[in-house]
């Protein structure tokens, strides 16, 4: 056979599985290897444990093999131990150097002192170079820290020995500047550039020269504040130049710390400025702080704190310019002056030259200024809304002189409140025009509408308009808000409803000063809210408001007619009846439940009005029961029938109390008869209902109070009637096999019988000798013992008979 044929045949006979099959085979092999490895590791762990146990008790078969020891796990890593030792060594050497400088310095001459300190310092600062070449970086850091500390001691020693007469603060300023430069140069040398400690220390030392220099020169508060801000500016430059590491963190801390103190100082100087000159100087300092924050934000637009810096710069500009304006205008215009500057910040937002973070920061700063301005107006709005409530104890005391007296008669009016309407209008205009983002535009318009509402609300009080003009203004606001409910949807509609309700409440409180105003306002509000209730979207809010104002109108009308409160309860109750009829007409609408709740509240108000007159109270309770019974006839309102029954019972009891009836059966029988009828109907519809559920409450309501009265009654009429009734109930229970009537009637009959026979039992007991009662008790025990089994059988039969009853 030719060789070529053999190669071709063998090549065709070679089996090459597809990739999926080959992958499955590889996975199977790997799984087997993993399983085998797990078995071997388990065996190894068992062997190690066995060897550990046999170390204390060696076996003969293990004497030839050396014992295997397992080293304990170290609790601290080697680098941690190294760092602790290095830091501790550096601290100890620094302390030793300080002690030498402070204590042993005076025992050496000038040459010796200079030689020792200079040699030690130079040697210490040069040692890190050798250590870095050998790769001992941590040790080099510790030695470098010791060297930096020695330079501080050198500066102190120089002042103590060579320059003792110089000013300490000025020398400290110069020393800190020299140390900052020296440490920076040391940290930037090529041979020591790998050290991480010198540059942060240099930045920390650089925080003090300007401040200490200003203090040593006796500069005023403006110069000291300027020194703080310039230092913060230099720190900001370092923050921009440095990208990461401990040096940048130190610069950031220094910038925020020194800048924060500088801003606080400049703000205090601006607030306490006595004239335009001082305010201008304080404003210049605030503008310097704003420039530093703005420059940092501009250099780092992508950083997370760029937005915060932009916001801070915007607020500082407002504080600076607003402070200057405050020194030029009356005190009441200080807030509007700041608001003007805050609104002017939005001009920078419109520009496209600034980065996005800066424009957003200016927008947030402007919004913060406007929010603070609105907060400044809140006391005025609160007085207008809540001030009339303080005069509720003097209803119809007479119309006040003007709108401000109507709302702030007993409440102090906020000072400098004249520009409040202007502030609200300005912020509303900004919200309506400046916010153009689609997701925020609708909310901004709602906020603008709310601010305009607050403006119209406080305007009559601010300008001390006549009392009638103020009420007409509140009525117009209510009408406009209700009209807005009809032409808007969603959140705007809800906002309009809330504003209408709040304004109506304020108008009602203001109108209570005059009888005529109260009647007219309540009539108008009832009509307005009734008309607005035709729109289904707002009816759950406006319909209850209309009913509440109608109830108030009924009460006010009764009071105006000099009716007593109990008589006024009837027209008020008519409103509750109208609410029940309206709820029946609405059916399953969303307005039904609010209308019913309002009707119930009005009914309780009517009951409260009639409390002083029991006959009228009984009538009002009966009418409330009739309204509740009518409501219970509707589908889904069946449980209201219980309330109707309770109201009818209360009406009957109050009527009886008004007639001075003290017989308990007169109070209990009106409850028992309906309860028994309801129980009979219940058992007729559901024969499985227990007799305790159907008849127990009704029987207990009469039997128990009558039984208590019978035991305290010296006459025979009530016990006789009660016993007869209990006997009848017992017989009916036995006839119909009902457990509740049988037990309750029998118990009442037995107790009444015991009460009637008690005198005779006492007589018999007194006539017997003293040994007779114990003898009778012994005979009774013997009889019971003789017939124990029979009695047990009888008791079991009685229990089974009672159990078979319903």
């Amino acid at each position: 056979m030719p060789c070529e044929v053999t190669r071709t045949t063998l090549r065709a006979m070679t089996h090459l599985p597809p990739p999926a099959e080959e992958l499955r085979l590889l996975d199977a092999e790997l799984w087997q290897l993993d399983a085998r490895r797990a078995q071997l590791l388990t065996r190894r762990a068992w062997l190690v444990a066995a060897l550990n146990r046999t170390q204390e008790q060696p076996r003969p078969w293990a004497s030839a093999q050396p014992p295997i020891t397992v080293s304990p796990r170290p609790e601290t890593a080697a680098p941690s131990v190294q760092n602790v030792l290095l830091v501790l060594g550096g601290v100890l050497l620094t302390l030793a150097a300080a002690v030498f400088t402070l204590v042993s310095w005076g025992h050496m001459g000038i040459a010796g002192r200079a030689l020792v300190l200079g040699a030690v310092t130079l040697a210490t600062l040069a040692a890190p170079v050798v250590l870095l070449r050998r790769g001992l970086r941590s040790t080099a850091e510790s030695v470098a820290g010791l060297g930096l500390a020695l330079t501080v001691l050198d500066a102190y020693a120089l002042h103590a020995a060579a320059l003792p007469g110089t000013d300490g603060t000025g020398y400290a300023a110069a020393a800190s500047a020299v140390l900052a430069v020296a440490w920076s140069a040391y940290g930037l040398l090529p041979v020591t550039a790998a050290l991480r400690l010198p540059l942060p220390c240099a930045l920390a030392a650089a925080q003090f020269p300007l401040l200490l220099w200003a203090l040593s020169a006796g500069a005023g508060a403006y110069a000291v504040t300027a020194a703080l801000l310039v230092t913060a500016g230099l720190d900001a430059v370092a923050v921009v130049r440095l990208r990461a590491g401990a040096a940048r963190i130190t610069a950031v801390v220094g910038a925020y710390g020194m800048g924060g103190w500088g801003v606080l100082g400049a703000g205090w100087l601006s607030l306490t400025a006595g004239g335009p000159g001082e305010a201008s100087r304080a404003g210049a300092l605030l503008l310097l702080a704003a420039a530093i924050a703005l420059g940092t934000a501009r250099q780092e637009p992508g950083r997370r704190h760029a937005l915060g810096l932009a916001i801070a710069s915007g607020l500082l500009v407002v504080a600076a310019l607003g402070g200057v304006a405050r020194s030029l205008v009356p005190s009441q215009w200080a807030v509007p002056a700041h608001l003007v500057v805050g609104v002017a910040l939005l001009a920078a937002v419109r520009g496209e030259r600034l980065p996005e973070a800066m424009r957003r920061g200016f927008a947030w700063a402007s919004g913060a200024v406007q929010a603070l301005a609105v907060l400044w107006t809140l006391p005025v709005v609160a007085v207008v809304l809540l001030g009339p409530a303080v005069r509720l104890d003097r209803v119809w005391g007479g119309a006040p002189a003007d709108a401000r007296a109507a709302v702030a008669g007993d409440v102090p009016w906020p000072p400098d409140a004249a520009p409040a309407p202007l502030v609200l209008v300005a912020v509303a205009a900004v919200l309506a025009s400046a916010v153009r983002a689609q997701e925020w535009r609708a909310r901004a318009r709602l906020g603008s509408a709310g601010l305009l509402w607050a403006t119209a609300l406080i305007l009559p009080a601010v300008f001390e308009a006549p009392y009638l003009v103020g009420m007409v203004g509140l009525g117009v606001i209510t009408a406009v808000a209700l009209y807005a409910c009809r032409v808007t949807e969603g959140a705007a509609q809800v906002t309009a409803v809330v504003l209408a309700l709040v304004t109506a409440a304020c108008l009602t409180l203001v109108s209570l000063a005059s009888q005529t105003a109260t009647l007219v306002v309540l009539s108008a509000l009832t009509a307005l809210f009734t008309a607005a209730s035709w729109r289904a979207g707002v009816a759950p809010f406006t319909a209850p408001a209309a009913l509440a104002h109608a109830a108030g109108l009924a009460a006010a009308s009764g009071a105006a007619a000099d009716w007593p409160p109990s008589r006024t309860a009837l027209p008020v109750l008519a409103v509750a009846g109208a609410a029940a009829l309206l709820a029946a007409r609405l059916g399953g609408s969303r307005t039904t439940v609010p209308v019913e709740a309002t009707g119930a509240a009005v009914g309780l108000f009517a009951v409260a009005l009639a409390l002083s007159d029991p006959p009228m109270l009984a009538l009002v309770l009966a009418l409330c029961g009739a309204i509740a019974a009518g409501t219970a006839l509707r589908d889904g309102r069946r449980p209201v029938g219980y309330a109707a029954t309770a109201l009818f019972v209360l009406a009957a009891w109050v009527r009886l109390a008004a007639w001075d009836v003290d017989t308990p059966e007169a109070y209990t029988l009106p409850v028992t008869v309906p309860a028994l009828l309801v129980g009979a109907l219940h058992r007729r519809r559901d024969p499985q209902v227990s007799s305790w559920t159907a008849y127990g409450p009704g029987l207990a309501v009469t039997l128990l109070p009558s039984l208590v009265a019978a035991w305290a009654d010296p006459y025979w009429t009530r016990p006789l009637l009660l016993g007869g009734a209990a006997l009848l109930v017992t017989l009916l229970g036995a006839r119909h096999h009902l457990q509740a009537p049988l037990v309750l009637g029998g118990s009442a009959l037995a107790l009444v019988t015991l009460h009637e026979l008690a005198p005779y039992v006492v007589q018999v007991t007194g006539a017997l000798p003293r040994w007779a009662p114990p003898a009778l008790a012994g005979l009774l025990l013997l009889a019971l013992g003789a017939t124990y089994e029979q009695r047990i059988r009888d008791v079991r039969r009685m229990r089974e008979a009672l159990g078979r009853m319903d």
Side-chain angles (χ1 to χ4, degrees), residues 368-557:
V369 173
Q370 296 176 56
L372 291 174
V374 172
L375 287 177
W376 175 74
T377 65
L378 285 185
V380 184
V381 179
V383 169
V384 173
L385 287 176
L386 304 177
V390 181
R391 305 177 61 178
L392 287 177
D393 57 340
R394 296 189 299 274
V395 176
W396 296 354
D402 51 46
R404 181 181 296 184
V407 299
D410 298 331
V411 179
W413 183 253
D416 300 333
L422 181 61
V423 170
L424 293 174
V425 170
V427 177
V430 172
L431 285 177
S433 59
V435 179
R436 298 183 178 181
Q438 191 64 30
E439 63 274 13
W440 290 97
R441 189 165 181 78
R443 301 176 186 176
R445 288 181 175 178
L446 288 180
S448 177
L451 293 175
L452 292 177
W453 165 81
T455 303
L457 191 70
I458 67 174
L459 204 59
V462 170
F463 291 102
E464 298 183 83
Y467 174 63
L468 181 59
V469 173
M471 286 199 303
V472 171
L474 292 175
V476 171
I477 296 172
T478 306
V480 171
L482 290 176
Y483 176 76
C485 296
R486 298 179 60 86
V487 297
T488 55
E489 298 290 344
Q493 188 181 70
V494 175
T495 303
V497 170
V498 173
L499 296 181
L501 293 174
V502 173
T503 310
C506 180
L507 177 57
T508 302
L509 292 175
V510 171
S511 68
L512 294 178
S514 172
Q515 175 179 322
T516 304
T518 302
L519 296 175
V520 172
V521 166
L522 290 176
S523 301
L525 291 177
T526 302
L528 286 175
F529 281 103
T530 302
S533 300
W534 290 103
R535 185 173 178 83
V538 296
F541 306 97
T542 56
L547 291 172
H549 287 97
L553 178 61
S557 300

Side-chain angles (χ1 to χ4, degrees), residues 151-358:
T151 57
V152 178
L153 295 176
D154 290 342
Y156 169 77
L158 179 63
H159 178 266
L163 304 171
T166 59
D167 178 53
T169 306
Y171 180 80
S176 59
V178 172
L179 289 177
V181 174
W183 291 349
S184 299
Y186 180 71
L188 294 176
L189 290 175
V191 293
T192 57
L195 296 174
R196 292 175 294 183
L197 193 60
L199 288 181
C201 292
L203 288 172
Q207 307 302 313
F208 303 102
L210 291 178
L211 177 61
L212 294 176
W213 170 79
L215 294 175
S216 65
Y222 291 93
V224 173
T225 304
L228 291 172
L229 292 176
V230 171
T231 303
L234 296 176
D235 289 330
V237 173
V239 170
V240 175
R241 296 293 182 182
L242 300 172
R243 293 303 174 188
R248 179 183 172 83
I249 296 175
T250 306
V252 169
V253 173
Y256 279 111
M258 304 300 284
W261 281 110
V263 168
L264 290 177
W268 177 255
L269 292 174
S270 178
L271 288 175
T272 58
E278 295 180 356
S280 299
R281 284 185 288 173
L285 294 174
L286 290 173
L287 289 177
L288 174 61
I292 295 171
L294 187 61
T296 307
R298 190 181 182 89
Q299 293 296 325
E300 298 185 344
R303 295 282 183 176
R304 290 177 296 177
H305 56 272
L307 177 61
L309 290 174
I311 295 174
S313 63
L315 294 176
L316 289 172
V317 169
V318 174
L321 300 181
V324 176
R326 185 179 63 250
S327 64
L328 300 174
V329 298
S331 60
Q332 62 182 357
W333 294 98
V335 173
H338 286 81
L339 179 61
V340 170
V341 181
V343 174
L345 279 179
L346 295 177
V349 179
R350 302 294 185 186
E352 299 295 337
R353 298 180 180 180
L354 297 178
E356 177 65 21
M358 295 180 62

Side-chain angles (χ1 to χ4, degrees), residues 596-652:
E596 289 176 341
T598 306
V602 172
L604 290 176
F605 178 53
V607 171
L609 290 175
L611 285 176
S612 60
D613 189 354
M616 185 59 70
L617 178 59
L619 177 60
V620 170
L621 289 172
L623 293 176
C624 290
I627 295 173
T631 303
L633 296 177
R634 292 164 41 205
D635 293 337
R637 296 295 186 268
R638 295 292 186 267
V640 183
Y642 297 106
T645 303
L647 289 171
F648 283 130
V649 170
L650 287 175

Side-chain angles (χ1 to χ4, degrees), residues 728-785:
L728 179 60
V729 170
T730 304
L731 295 176
L732 289 175
R735 171 67 180 80
H736 297 284
H737 300 280
L738 299 177
Q739 192 176 40
L742 182 61
V743 173
L744 292 176
S747 300
L749 180 60
L751 291 175
V752 170
T753 304
L754 178 62
H755 172 266
E756 293 302 315
L757 296 179
Y760 302 101
V761 173
V762 172
Q763 288 181 355
V764 172
T765 304
L768 292 176
R770 295 186 177 181
W771 53 265
L776 293 176
L779 292 175
L780 179 61
L781 292 176
L782 289 176
L784 289 175

